[in-house]
Amino acid sequence: MQKAKTLEPRNPNKSTGIFNGKSSGILNWNDIAYPHWHKMYKRLLGNYWQADEINMSNDIKQFASLSQQEQDAYLKIIGLLATLDAPQTRTALLLSLYATDPSVQSIMAVIAQQEAVHNESYSYVLSSIVSLDQQNKAFEFGRMDETLLKRNKNIAKYYNDFVENPTTENILKTLTYTTLLEGLFFYSGFAYFYNLARYNKMVGTSTMISYINRDELEHGRFISELFRATLSENPELNNDELIEWVYEQFKESVELEIEWSEYVLADIEGIELEEMHGYIKYRANKMLRLIGLEEIYPEYVENPMKWIRAYADNIDGTKTDFFEQKSRQYVKVNAIDNGFDDL
Ligand code: ZN
Ligand code: ZN
């Protein structure tokens, strides 16, 4: 597949295809192939935030009082989240380079910007609470820790396959892993921080996590739409082999996620591993539905981790939930030196 041309006046403004299509490169939001994507773009923009708007002063005091297990898990999970968010900035850009629909290019630009913010936010929280040495160690985790490397092996494989061989099929595979990433891989990490928050611990960090969570939910929604639309524009790829491949990736990802959660969340007060496994399967079902496929864990159609609903399920800006409740504590602290400038 060729990269999309930047400007081609002989082509129409309204794109004839998401990938391998024709478009002039001129973006008129009132004349796009999938009109409701304008709303998605607006929702994404409406979520704008920055890491240093979050007040970390209580977390700075509290971190030392966490148990050793909690401190270890905190650093490992920040390491995990950083490893997941880092490739997203670039993958969003790469998808936009091949997209021949300028509305997709713009949406991907906003997603890429948000992923850049997520990455910076992990440096921001760590620089607030631990030494530079410990910060660096947490970021090395993604390339050193065996369990994490095993867990992330498939993402690396399919993301890199797309770089080396940009075919529509490899784009669909990358979109499958992006859906898994946005809708499943982050959530054991999110759960860890929400669990701390329900014991009133590290509330600054979990507020930041809820902002990331809100972004990832929107990304997951758009990426699954992109997957479905790309599949229906390329009916020859909508075959048993590819669909079977998608189901296999979901099953394998769930197993790896369960293994990971046992490794990093064992001995954490308040987290029941059985419940966590159910939650992982529930997330997988949810993402499968979003990409137009069937649930594979019929016993987990409902969220079995009841306490987390208040934190993770209701982030849509309409309900009174954790997010709104926390926004009262959301004080801009740009002027306060939390050590981040020392990075
Ligand atoms: Zn992200
Ligand atoms: Zn994302």
Side-chain angles (χ1 to χ4, degrees):
M1 187 187 295
Q2 298 287 316
K3 289 198 187 86
K5 287 206 173 128
T6 303
L7 273 178
E8 182 44 88
R10 284 172 296 184
N11 288 343
N13 288 350
K14 183 174 172 173
S15 166
T16 62
I18 298 171
F19 299 101
N20 284 317
K22 285 190 182 346
S23 75
S24 66
I26 296 166
L27 173 54
N28 171 7
W29 280 110
N30 295 318
D31 185 26
I32 56 176
Y34 298 87
H36 68 289
W37 286 356
H38 184 236
K39 273 207 184 93
M40 293 197 131
Y41 166 80
K42 296 297 281 179
R43 268 214 308 269
L44 282 163
L45 271 192
N47 287 347
Y48 181 83
W49 62 281
Q50 275 200 67
D52 58 5
E53 293 167 359
I54 290 158
N55 190 337
M56 290 293 291
S57 54
N58 286 329
D59 293 39
I60 295 169
K61 288 181 224 139
Q62 238 175 13
F63 187 74
S65 68
L66 298 183
S67 72
Q68 194 56 48
Q69 285 100 322
E70 284 172 334
Q71 291 191 13
D72 286 350
Y74 186 107
L75 296 176
K76 277 188 179 155
I77 291 169
I78 292 287
L80 157 80
L81 297 176
T83 318
L84 294 176
D85 259 321
Q88 289 309 92
T89 315
R90 184 162 196 271
T91 299
L93 168 73
L94 284 169
L95 287 166
S96 100
L97 287 178
Y98 290 94
T100 44
D101 184 321
S103 70
V104 174
Q105 294 164 10
S106 280
I107 290 171
M108 283 302 173
V110 179
I111 291 180
Q113 176 268 321
Q114 293 179 334
E115 303 299 7
V117 168
H118 300 173
N119 277 285
E120 192 212 3
S121 72
Y122 304 127
S123 299
Y124 171 76
V125 291
L126 286 193
S127 72
S128 306
I129 58 166
V130 291
S131 67
L132 179 62
D133 190 46
Q134 278 178 297
Q135 294 167 39
N136 290 347
K137 233 167 101 189
F139 282 96
E140 293 288 0
F141 193 62
R143 44 182 220 102
M144 302 287 204
D145 184 86
E146 288 303 325
T147 312
L148 189 52
L149 283 169
K150 183 179 167 201
R151 179 193 185 283
N152 290 343
K153 203 171 123 205
N154 282 342
I155 310 171
K157 176 184 166 14
Y158 290 106
Y159 276 18
N160 288 335
D161 279 356
F162 163 46
V163 174
E164 279 155 29
N165 188 14
T167 60
T168 311
E169 188 180 341
N170 282 344
I171 284 179
L172 284 166
K173 289 183 173 178
T174 287
L175 291 174
T176 302
Y177 267 92
T178 305
T179 303
L180 276 163
L181 208 150
E182 305 280 8
L184 180 75
F185 296 159
F186 279 116
Y187 289 75
S188 62
F190 291 168
Y192 170 75
F193 290 108
Y194 294 147
N195 181 59
L196 285 182
R198 75 180 169 133
Y199 292 98
N200 257 318
K201 296 176 186 171
M202 308 303 280
V203 172
T205 311
S206 71
T207 303
M208 190 198 78
I209 291 293
S210 71
Y211 281 79
I212 295 175
N213 195 164
R214 183 177 64 175
D215 291 348
E216 306 305 10
L217 287 171
E218 290 296 342
H219 300 173
R221 253 175 232 146
F222 179 69
I223 295 295
S224 8
E225 287 234 359
L226 197 60
F227 176 89
R228 278 189 286 147
T230 305
L231 203 58
S232 73
E233 285 186 7
N234 297 273
E236 72 288 355
L237 288 168
N238 195 353
N239 56 44
D240 290 351
E241 200 188 328
L242 186 87
I243 300 305
E244 205 37 57
W245 178 89
V246 174
Y247 280 122
E248 282 311 309
Q249 306 317 303
F250 268 78
K251 285 181 204 153
E252 199 184 333
S253 298
V254 163
E255 279 162 34
L256 286 166
E257 201 59 33
I258 286 176
E259 203 177 304
W260 161 260
S261 71
E262 284 173 355
Y263 168 64
V264 79
L265 298 176
D267 308 319
I268 298 295
E269 191 196 349
I271 292 194
E272 295 291 335
L273 286 177
E274 275 306 306
E275 216 176 60
M276 189 70 223
H277 302 166
Y279 180 59
I280 290 167
K281 291 175 178 167
Y282 157 78
R283 291 292 327 165
N285 278 340
K286 204 164 178 149
M287 296 322 285
L288 280 167
R289 271 201 311 272
L290 272 183
I291 59 173
L293 298 181
E294 279 165 23
E295 291 148 347
I296 49 178
Y297 304 104
E299 65 280 32
Y300 295 108
V301 174
E302 296 287 324
N303 185 350
M305 206 181 219
K306 293 198 173 57
W307 65 265
I308 208 170
R309 290 183 198 162
Y311 297 84
D313 274 9
N314 294 327
I315 303 176
D316 61 7
T318 56
K319 297 177 185 125
T320 306
D321 57 13
F322 167 74
F323 196 70
E324 284 182 18
Q325 179 192 319
K326 288 295 171 278
S327 64
R328 270 185 250 128
Q329 301 175 8
Y330 174 82
V331 186
K332 297 211 177 197
V333 288
N334 294 331
I336 295 173
D337 176 19
N338 70 344
F340 194 58
D341 289 340
D342 298 335
L343 255 189

